[in-house]
């Protein structure tokens, strides 16, 4: 259940905190199959809450729970099965010619190339909280912290090392797999021709993982990125300053990182201009990589200048400072609620702090967190999730604590 809770918090952050936030899709790089031609009623391509890049196709998750796919469809990877509804997640990275989607009931739906059984989800198809897509294999993370793997297994990429427990995140390369443990270590298995499964020491303090074709990426709690494996064209050479990152994604031969100031850094192969980030390089909230293209989400300002409107739902405007060392102040908007509870979770899904904020009038409010748990003890450095709840209304944001 802890893993499921953590995943739910991450979805809340990516999806936004109510109707106050909207995102546009920005895609660039190789467009030979239309994988950068985002379908939509306007040039803003709004309504998406998550995106992912396939080898030569792209998929997007919409706020209504449907999935839209575009680009090459030679294997039916863009033909989302009916009913196209109730989806809550897609894999942020993929290197194959197939697609996976996670439903709100915890089941996985697969479509497209199934030549190695990579779309045949093993039974019981339930209790999944995250999905991963490789070249011809798939991974599913269960709410109990175990990993299910299926599809092509010639290199052992589906042989999850034991003990198969305590995982909080997954990633797939072409022929290898990665799992992030709740203790901050990474396990890697499968093809190791380029050393992509040899996690550099110290193997600790990781908060996120991603995989490229024959290389691997890990995000540390201090905001730096560690890369290892095939570096033929510089895909493992993280540009300086290697700091302030909050997300990372690996593609065929190129990598991308999202900084805490919402800008993007890209490196590696640039044969299709995929490392040239479109201006303005700001306000990005999610990064994803395809074979030779990038697809990202950018927050757009929907406010009308000079118009003051009261919020219709609870949402978080920001955290400052972030990263924090001693304390941070949460700024949030309330529609006017009788009670609000502030909860802090670590990356393993443990509730470490609870605070009753009481009732609130409609408008902007602030709440502070001092980096301590409920007993008053200082928490260690890392990523934490702050959630506000009031009945059915929820809002969430992440903060990096650096001691």
């Amino acid at each position: 259940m802890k893993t499921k809770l953590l995943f739910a918090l991450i979805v809340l952050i990516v999806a936004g905190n109510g109707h106050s936030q909207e995102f546009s899709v920005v895609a660039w790089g190789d467009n030979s199959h239309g994988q950068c031609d985002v379908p939509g009623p306007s040039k803003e391509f709004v309504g998406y809450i998550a995106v992912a890049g396939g080898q030569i196709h792209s998929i997007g998750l919409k706020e209504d729970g449907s999935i839209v796919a575009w680009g090459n469809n030679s294997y039916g990877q863009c033909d989302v099965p009916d009913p196209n509804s109730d989806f809550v997640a897609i894999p942020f990275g993929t290197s194959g010619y197939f697609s996976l989607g996670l439903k709100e009931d915890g089941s996985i739906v697969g479509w497209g190339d199934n030549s190695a059984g990579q779309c045949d989800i093993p039974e019981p198809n339930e209790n999944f909280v995250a999905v991963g897509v490789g070249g011809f294999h798939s991974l599913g993370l269960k709410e109990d912290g175990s990993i299910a793997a299926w599809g092509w297994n010639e290199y052992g990429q589906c042989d999850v090392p034991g003990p198969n427990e305590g995982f909080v995140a997954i990633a797939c390369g072409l022929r290898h797999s990665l799992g992030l443990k709740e203790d901050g270590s990474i396990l890697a298995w499968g093809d190791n021709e380029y050393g992509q499964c040899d996690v550099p020491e110290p193997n600790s303090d990781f908060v996120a993982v991603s995989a490229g074709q024959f290389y691997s990426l890990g995000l540390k709690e201090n905001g730096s990125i560690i890369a290892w494996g095939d570096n033929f064209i510089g895909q493992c050479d993280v540009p300086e300053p290697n700091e302030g990152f909050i997300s990372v994604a690996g593609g065929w031969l190129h990598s991308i990182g999202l900084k805490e100031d919402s800008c993007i850094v890209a490196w590696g192969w640039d044969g299709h201009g995929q490392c040239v980030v479109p201006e303005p390089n700001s306000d990005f909230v999610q990064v994803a990589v395809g074979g030779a293209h990038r697809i990202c989400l950018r927050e757009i300002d929907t406010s009308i200048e000079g118009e003051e409107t009261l919020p219709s739902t609870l949402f978080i405007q920001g955290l400052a400072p972030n990263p924090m060392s001693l304390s941070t102040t949460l700024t949030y908007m309330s529609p006017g609620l009788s009670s609000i509870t502030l909860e802090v979770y670590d990356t393993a899904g443990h509730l470490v702090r609870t605070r009753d904020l009481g009732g609130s009038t409609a408008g902007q409010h602030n709440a502070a967190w001092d980096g301590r748990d409920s007993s008053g003890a200082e928490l260690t450095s890392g990523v934490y999730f702050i959630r506000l709840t009031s009945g059915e209304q929820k809002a969430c944001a992440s903060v990096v604590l650096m001691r």
Side-chain angles (χ1 to χ4, degrees), residues 31 109 113 163 166 173 185 197 233 259 264 284 291 316 341 384 393:
N31 195 33
V109 179
D113 178 28
S185 65
C197 292
I233 204 160
K259 291 261 189 172
I264 286 174
F284 287 100
I316 294 172
T341 301
Y384 292 87
Q393 296 200 42

Side-chain angles (χ1 to χ4, degrees), residues 323-337:
M324 59 176 284
S325 57
L326 296 176
S327 66
T328 188
T329 298
L330 177 80
T331 302
Y332 63 96
M333 297 292 286
S334 169
L337 299 167

Side-chain angles (χ1 to χ4, degrees), residues 367-391:
W369 178 50
D370 58 6
R372 297 175 181 270
D373 64 16
S374 295
S375 69
E378 288 189 349
L379 291 166
T380 59
S381 298
V383 177
Y384 292 87
F385 302 97
I386 299 179
R387 183 171 71 171
L388 300 180
T389 61
S390 179

Side-chain angles (χ1 to χ4, degrees), residues 173-220:
L174 179 65
R175 304 185 306 216
H176 74 290
S177 304
L178 299 173
L180 174 65
K181 289 273 193 172
E182 59 187 359
D183 64 2
S185 65
I186 293 174
L187 288 186
W189 61 97
D191 179 29
N192 197 33
E193 180 181 358
Y194 297 93
Q196 61 264 48
C197 292
D198 297 331
V199 186
E201 294 294 339
N203 187 359
S204 60
D205 302 326
F206 288 102
V207 296
V209 291
S210 185
Q213 180 187 21
F214 298 120
Y215 69 103
S216 304
L217 298 162
L219 176 65
K220 291 272 191 173

Side-chain angles (χ1 to χ4, degrees), residues 349-371:
H350 301 115
L351 176 63
V352 297
R353 180 74 177 270
T354 302
R355 179 183 166 193
D356 183 6
L357 301 182
S360 66
T361 57
Q364 186 181 82
H365 299 270
N366 296 314
W369 178 50
D370 58 6

Side-chain angles (χ1 to χ4, degrees), residues 1-241:
M1 292 301 294
K2 292 173 182 175
T3 305
K4 189 173 185 177
L5 175 58
L6 173 62
F7 171 77
L9 293 174
I10 293 173
V11 168
L12 281 170
I13 292 169
V14 174
N17 304 305
H19 298 292
S20 59
Q21 288 179 296
E22 288 190 13
F23 308 105
S24 62
V25 179
V26 182
W28 70 97
D30 178 27
N31 195 33
S32 57
H33 295 268
Q35 60 265 52
C36 294
D37 296 333
V38 187
S42 73
K43 64 180 180 180
E44 292 294 347
F45 310 131
V46 297
Y48 292 92
I49 60 173
V51 288
Q55 181 62 19
I56 46 179
H57 78 289
S58 303
I59 63 175
L61 174 63
K62 306 211 81 172
E63 59 189 358
D64 64 1
S66 65
I67 288 177
V68 179
W70 61 96
N72 182 271
N73 195 34
S74 56
Y75 293 93
Q77 62 264 47
C78 294
D79 297 331
V80 186
D82 285 323
N84 186 358
S85 60
D86 301 325
F87 287 102
V88 296
I90 53 179
F92 287 167
T94 171
S95 55
Y97 296 89
F98 66 104
S99 305
L100 296 178
L102 177 66
K103 293 270 191 172
E104 65 180 2
D105 65 0
S107 65
I108 295 174
V109 179
W111 63 97
D113 178 28
N114 196 33
S115 56
Q118 61 266 45
C119 293
D120 297 332
I121 295 86
E123 294 294 339
N125 186 0
E126 59 186 20
N127 299 325
F128 287 102
V129 296
V131 290
V133 170
F136 299 91
H137 75 289
S138 304
L139 296 179
L141 178 63
K142 293 270 190 172
E143 67 177 32
D144 63 2
S146 65
I147 293 174
W150 60 97
W152 186 37
N153 195 35
E154 181 177 346
Y155 293 85
Q157 60 265 48
C158 294
D159 297 331
V160 184
N164 187 358
E165 59 185 26
F167 290 100
V168 296
I170 51 177
C172 297
L174 179 65
R175 304 185 306 216
H176 74 290
S177 304
L178 299 173
L180 174 65
K181 289 273 193 172
E182 59 187 359
D183 64 2
S185 65
I186 293 174
L187 288 186
W189 61 97
D191 179 29
N192 197 33
E193 180 181 358
Y194 297 93
Q196 61 264 48
C197 292
D198 297 331
V199 186
E201 294 294 339
N203 187 359
S204 60
D205 302 326
F206 288 102
V207 296
V209 291
S210 185
Q213 180 187 21
F214 298 120
Y215 69 103
S216 304
L217 298 162
L219 176 65
K220 291 272 191 173
E221 65 181 19
N222 65 3
S224 66
I225 293 172
I226 308 297
W228 63 98
D230 179 27
N231 196 32
F232 171 71
I233 204 160
Q235 60 266 44
C236 292
D237 295 333
V238 185
E240 295 293 340

